[in-house]
Amino acid sequence: MPVFIEVKGGPQYQIDFIANITTPELSFEEENINFEDVLVGQRKIITVRFENKKEVDCEWSYAFKENVSNSGRDKKEQFPVFDLSPSRGKLFPQQKANVEVIFTPNSRKEYELKIQPAVANIQGKPNSLKIKGKGTLCSIKLDKSQIALGSQLPYVDPKNYSPFKIINESTTVVEVYCLEFDKIYLQEEKLLNSCKALSGDKVLTLPVRPPGGEFWKEIVEDVEKENKSRQRLARLAEIETQMKEPGLEEKKMEELKKEKDVLEQAKLEEEAAEKSKPQKIAKVKDDKKVNIVVIGWEQSGKTTICNLLNEKHKRGYVTFTQILQWNVQKNTSASQKAQRFLQEKAKELEIAKEELLKKIKKMKKGEPEPKINEGEYKILPKDIFIELIKERIADEDCNAGAIFDNLMSENIGGIDDILEAISEASGE
């Protein structure tokens, strides 16, 4: 739009005002999602990337609506069969974010839903996600409805038996066991009933247990932790009672106080560890992961930025000052290779020191004393260092990518070498 400005006794100026009028728009990298077959009572998650391709901020939200359609046109569902996590957010211009689409079927049927997240200040209809999935059940059939066995004397080897067939009519593998005789099943039920994370109406999301697979370690650990906590509280109560006893010896009182301090410290450490426990993030496809490298001067706030990004973006925090220690703690194959190599280099260093000592003894007075660069014996081959990074970024906390901090390590050369190793390890 041109605007003319006249100057008295001077020239005329023309100013052109140009504006780009735009409204928010939420886009999706994938608009059609098919969960396929999912067992009733189980949950499947697919990660979708939301994008804001416009020049203005985009605030979006989604609330579950009871409009899930199915092949039988049954009554509306009373809980979100399909859901989004998070259910709301804000994207800055050109920003992307990973959102989990969750499918939890509650009946054996086909589901279909068109999700349209609400977008603030939008004109027209928002873009939609078309989602479908099918709830399935485990189903078996016996080839006999009745089995008749002959007479059998007690306390002797059974001689009467009748074989029968179990036919799996499901599309998935089925595990069969007997509720009356399976002792392992009863033990597992006891663990589930004792699990604090499953008390009341709480839901614990765990990977699907395959038929014949091991019981969930997370539940076993939770029950063991709860049992230790109960024992500790009971012991603290006993100590409080004993300390109130009249005529208690001073030495005994000191022992009880020390034990009480140790137990209370253990309780505080357990609470702190629980608060700092990292959240599990759904795995993103490798080509959708975003890795961030933070570079700067010492004491410039790099680690603070990394911690903020870690909390906000839910990406793993990787520091190169501890990359080898992390692998050693996890006992990865890369750490075993690295330790073997460093042990060999340590032996070479000892031999080099002995030879240098002999050389120094033969030197004339006043000659400059040669030195060994011990740091060279700690540098790992590039391929081993890359394996260390690969093991680290394959961990669950890096499911959406990694944030790299402290680009210094005694096990590799300078920053250029580390950046190259990151690039090769992440396939970029």
Side-chain angles (χ1 to χ4, degrees):
M1 183 180 73
V3 175
F4 299 95
I5 299 176
E6 294 184 5
V7 179
K8 190 175 181 181
Q12 186 184 59
Y13 295 93
Q14 177 181 326
I15 300 176
D16 292 325
F17 289 96
I18 300 171
N20 178 20
I21 300 173
T22 185
T23 58
E25 182 182 349
L26 186 63
S27 304
F28 317 108
E29 282 195 348
E30 296 177 30
E31 294 185 349
N32 296 292
I33 301 171
N34 186 1
F35 282 92
E36 299 178 340
D37 292 356
V38 178
L39 284 172
V40 172
Q42 294 184 0
R43 173 180 292 182
K44 186 174 180 180
I45 298 173
I46 294 177
T47 303
V48 177
R49 181 160 287 181
F50 283 23
E51 298 181 70
N52 178 13
K53 297 179 180 179
K54 296 289 186 169
E55 296 82 9
V56 294
D57 295 349
C58 175
E59 290 189 47
W60 65 273
S61 61
Y62 171 73
F64 166 69
K65 295 178 182 178
E66 297 175 353
N67 61 349
V68 176
S69 63
N70 53 73
S71 58
R73 297 290 178 189
D74 293 339
K75 63 179 182 179
K76 295 176 181 178
E77 305 299 333
Q78 299 304 313
F79 68 94
V81 175
F82 293 113
D83 205 1
L84 299 182
S85 178
S87 59
R88 62 178 59 245
K90 181 177 180 179
L91 295 175
F92 297 109
Q94 310 306 316
Q95 187 183 7
K96 301 178 182 180
N98 293 320
V99 176
E100 293 179 347
V101 184
I102 304 166
F103 176 42
T104 316
N106 71 341
S107 343
R108 184 179 184 176
K109 58 189 177 187
E110 293 181 357
Y111 294 87
E112 193 172 330
L113 179 66
K114 184 164 51 168
I115 287 180
Q116 280 186 319
V119 179
N121 303 317
I122 193 175
Q123 290 185 355
K125 286 186 176 181
N127 292 327
S128 61
L129 277 170
K130 294 177 182 177
I131 310 172
K132 63 180 181 179
K134 184 179 178 182
T136 62
L137 291 169
C138 292
S139 176
I140 61 171
K141 185 175 76 174
L142 304 182
D143 68 336
K144 295 179 181 179
S145 59
Q146 289 185 346
I147 296 176
L149 297 175
S151 302
Q152 174 71 43
L153 290 171
Y155 310 112
V156 296
D157 293 336
K159 294 179 181 178
N160 293 317
Y161 62 89
S162 177
F164 63 93
K165 290 181 181 178
I166 300 177
I167 302 162
N168 180 12
E169 297 182 322
S170 315
T171 57
T172 183
V173 180
V174 173
E175 182 178 359
V176 181
Y177 57 91
C178 181
L179 299 180
E180 295 179 4
F181 303 107
D182 194 332
K183 294 180 181 179
I184 295 175
Y185 161 77
L186 295 174
Q187 292 168 3
E188 292 175 351
E189 281 293 303
K190 189 176 179 181
L191 283 170
L192 288 169
N193 291 329
S194 304
C195 182
K196 189 178 179 181
L198 288 170
S199 60
D201 58 353
K202 294 180 183 177
V203 176
L204 186 62
T205 305
L206 291 169
V208 175
R209 180 185 178 186
E214 292 183 1
F215 191 75
W216 294 281
K217 291 180 181 178
E218 294 90 340
I219 293 179
V220 175
E221 289 171 0
D222 182 86
V223 173
E224 287 176 352
K225 192 187 297 180
E226 185 62 24
N227 288 339
K228 285 180 182 178
S229 179
R230 285 200 197 97
Q231 290 170 7
R232 184 169 54 244
L233 290 173
R235 180 56 187 153
L236 281 169
E238 287 178 10
I239 290 171
E240 289 288 345
T241 304
Q242 289 176 7
M243 289 173 70
K244 292 176 183 177
E245 290 178 1
L248 189 66
E249 294 180 5
E250 188 175 339
K251 184 180 178 181
K252 182 64 176 176
M253 178 66 79
E254 287 298 319
E255 289 176 359
L256 291 172
K257 282 181 180 179
K258 283 181 182 179
E259 188 181 355
K260 182 183 176 184
D261 290 342
V262 169
L263 291 171
E264 288 179 342
Q265 182 62 32
K267 181 184 176 183
L268 291 172
E269 288 175 1
E270 187 179 287
E271 289 173 354
E274 194 64 32
K275 287 180 182 177
S276 62
K277 198 174 181 181
Q279 287 186 321
K280 287 188 178 180
I281 308 300
K283 191 170 179 61
V284 177
K285 293 178 182 177
D286 288 340
D287 61 334
K288 298 286 193 297
K289 285 184 179 180
V290 176
N291 296 316
I292 300 170
V293 179
V294 179
I295 302 174
W297 299 105
E298 287 188 28
Q299 305 298 319
S300 61
K302 299 189 303 298
T303 302
T304 302
I305 291 170
C306 288
N307 286 330
L308 289 170
L309 289 171
N310 168 252
E311 185 177 346
K312 187 175 179 64
H313 293 182
K314 306 303 180 188
R315 292 187 176 91
Y317 173 69
V318 180
T319 170
F320 282 93
T321 54
Q322 298 173 359
I323 192 88
L324 179 58
Q325 292 93 314
W326 184 92
N327 276 268
V328 170
Q329 287 174 356
K330 298 285 184 177
N331 194 28
T332 64
S333 60
S335 73
Q336 293 168 13
K337 289 180 186 178
Q339 286 176 302
R340 282 196 297 269
F341 179 85
L342 292 174
Q343 285 169 4
E344 290 298 320
K345 296 302 280 185
K347 291 176 184 176
E348 289 178 20
L349 178 59
E350 289 302 317
I351 294 169
K353 283 180 178 179
E354 289 174 6
E355 290 177 354
L356 180 63
L357 213 60
K358 292 176 184 176
K359 190 176 180 180
I360 291 171
K361 287 179 181 179
K362 294 177 181 179
M363 287 174 62
K364 294 178 182 179
K365 192 175 181 182
E367 285 184 349
E369 190 175 298
K371 292 183 180 178
I372 294 176
N373 184 359
E374 295 189 16
E376 291 181 356
Y377 291 85
K378 295 180 181 179
I379 294 178
L380 292 167
K382 185 180 173 183
D383 59 331
I384 293 180
F385 197 81
I386 289 170
E387 281 189 52
L388 293 173
I389 300 173
K390 282 183 177 179
E391 292 279 8
R392 178 63 187 89
I393 63 179
D395 199 52
E396 281 184 343
D397 67 335
C398 295
N399 275 348
I403 301 163
F404 296 100
D405 186 21
N406 291 327
L407 304 188
M408 298 175 294
S409 173
E410 64 179 7
N411 303 120
I412 199 170
I415 263 187
D416 291 342
D417 295 320
I418 290 181
L419 288 172
E420 193 176 331
I422 292 172
S423 180
E424 291 192 33
S426 56
E428 296 178 359

